[in-house]
Amino acid sequence: MATPQTVKLVEVGPRDGLQNESATVSTADKISLINNLAAAGVSYIEAGSFVSPRSVPQMADSDQVFAGLSFQSGITYAALTPNLKGFERAVQAGATEVAVFASASEGFSQKNINCSVADSLIRFQPVMDAAREHKMAVRGYVSCVVGCPYDGEVAPSQTRSVSQALFEMGCYEVSLGDTIGVGTPGHFKRLLDHMLVDSPADKLAVHCHDTYGQALANILASLEYGIATVDASVAGLGGCPYALNATGNVATEDVVYMLHGMGISTGINLEKLIAAGQSICAVLGKPNSSRVARAKGAGL
Ligand code: HMG
Ligand code: MG
């Protein structure tokens, strides 16, 4: 399979990143981050999450975040919606796309969304039906595609069957989440060999947390399978509240630097992206996890 010439970056920092930062980030600072990402040329931004505020307090103000955005044409402002209640909040807030999120493993499903994998798929059906009525596209996530913090190793067949269920209920794309970042290129190759039997590469994305420092290598391996959508988080923000010790997603800056170096276009201005990452790190009072941002900051 040929490596793609263009890659779509799905920026998950305002959601996956900020949902797991312990510092309180004001609604205004979240809005600034999203607007800065848009100004850097990011065309898909996961801007928030309509989940139970008791489960993830950091996302409790997603309604206000959306209300304060200056929506720009050509940019998707997406949100996570685990159930119909979440979907209704997302529509009310003006989200332009939503995502449902399942797990390949039972342990993570229970901890994350308080139900079995099979029950989660049943709960998503009303979301899919309502989205169809609203002519809204739904993205699907499958977490723990390689390993689970509760169940250990996950077989590719588990990921494949949950992905198939999401496609069958109408998700236009499935993002394969290495939630705890344990995967290596070997794992991703085995997984994609298995997935591509019945899922075309252009319907799959990869979502790599960088806990074990394998994310860029895993993305490179996935590109070689024709995967052309990559999730990433500016400044490498975040983690997952239900996967303790998992670090943030791979830093968007590092992915963009690698892709541009390979002659692959993204539509993103790296300098502006780095500035967006530096601003949110200043708000959080923490160092930037992007190696590229750190190197550029040091004048290298
Ligand atoms: P539950 O307790 O089984 O649900 O939680 P429930 O329907 O019984 O509701 C419990 C309470 O939550 C009720 O309030 C509901 O109204 C409220 P009460 O009557 O007790 O006051 N509630 C809501 N409130 C606002 N918005 C909603 C909503 N739904 C219920 N949408 C539930 C089930 C799914 C709701 C809960 O477990 C939850 O919100 N989980 C979300 C967890 C989460 O956001 N995790 C992080 C995102 S996933 C991730 O990071 C992985 C990913 O990045 C990919 C990867 O890396 O692998 C995507
Ligand atoms: Mg994630």
Side-chain angles (χ1 to χ4, degrees):
M1 179 67 81
T3 301
Q5 292 182 339
T6 302
V7 161
K8 176 174 140 191
L9 264 298
V10 169
E11 172 58 55
V12 296
R15 192 281 303 171
D16 205 349
L18 295 186
Q19 77 180 8
N20 204 40
E21 294 292 342
S22 48
T24 305
V25 180
S26 70
T27 304
D29 284 328
K30 292 179 182 179
I31 293 168
S32 293
L33 169 64
I34 295 162
N35 288 339
N36 290 341
L37 291 165
V42 179
S43 64
Y44 190 117
I45 305 172
E46 204 170 66
S49 179
F50 296 101
V51 300
S52 160
R54 233 180 296 155
S55 298
V56 186
Q58 293 90 332
M59 292 289 111
D61 64 344
S62 281
D63 310 76
Q64 294 94 300
V65 169
F66 272 90
L69 291 178
S70 35
F71 288 89
Q72 301 200 20
S73 66
I75 299 184
T76 302
Y77 297 88
L80 293 192
T81 56
N83 51 23
L84 195 53
K85 181 168 184 163
F87 179 79
E88 283 163 357
R89 287 177 61 203
V91 169
Q92 182 73 28
T96 57
E97 191 174 305
V98 297
V100 292
F101 47 108
S103 173
S105 67
E106 288 295 338
F108 186 76
S109 184
Q110 288 291 351
K111 289 277 197 272
N112 194 37
I113 51 175
N114 197 27
C115 63
S116 67
V117 175
D119 283 348
S120 74
L121 297 172
I122 292 168
R123 286 187 194 183
F124 297 154
Q125 194 57 60
V127 176
M128 302 305 301
D129 296 342
R132 202 167 291 118
E133 267 174 44
H134 283 81
K135 298 192 175 13
M136 203 185 267
V138 185
R139 189 170 200 243
Y141 277 103
V142 179
S143 288
C144 298
V145 298
V146 172
C148 169
Y150 310 102
D151 300 352
E153 207 165 308
V154 173
S157 56
Q158 289 171 255
T159 300
R160 184 170 158 193
S161 68
V162 179
S163 303
Q164 278 311 311
L166 291 174
F167 282 131
E168 276 161 27
M169 58 173 56
C171 291
Y172 73 92
E173 175 177 281
V174 167
S175 175
L176 302 170
D178 183 8
T179 316
I180 52 172
V182 288
T184 65
H187 292 96
F188 271 76
K189 285 178 183 173
R190 277 193 292 283
L191 176 63
L192 291 171
D193 278 336
H194 205 80
M195 293 295 301
L196 292 177
V197 171
D198 45 19
S199 305
D202 64 2
K203 285 183 171 282
L204 295 173
V206 288
H207 177 107
C208 299
H209 286 260
D210 202 24
T211 318
Y212 284 73
Q214 305 292 300
L216 278 181
N218 294 339
I219 291 167
L220 182 58
S222 304
L223 293 173
E224 286 165 2
Y225 276 74
I227 303 296
T229 304
V230 175
D231 300 1
S233 175
V234 69
L237 299 177
C240 175
Y242 297 94
L244 292 180
N245 302 323
T247 66
N249 288 85
V250 62
T252 316
E253 298 90 320
D254 298 1
V255 180
V256 167
Y257 180 84
M258 179 179 85
L259 293 172
H260 290 182
M262 294 171 69
I264 297 173
S265 61
T266 64
I268 293 176
N269 177 311
L270 181 58
E271 303 308 319
K272 288 186 180 175
L273 181 66
I274 290 172
Q278 294 290 42
S279 297
I280 190 64
C281 287
V283 168
L284 291 165
K286 65 178 255 186
N288 197 321
S289 295
S290 159
R291 302 286 292 269
V292 167
R294 291 211 304 258
K296 293 269 189 195
L300 300 174

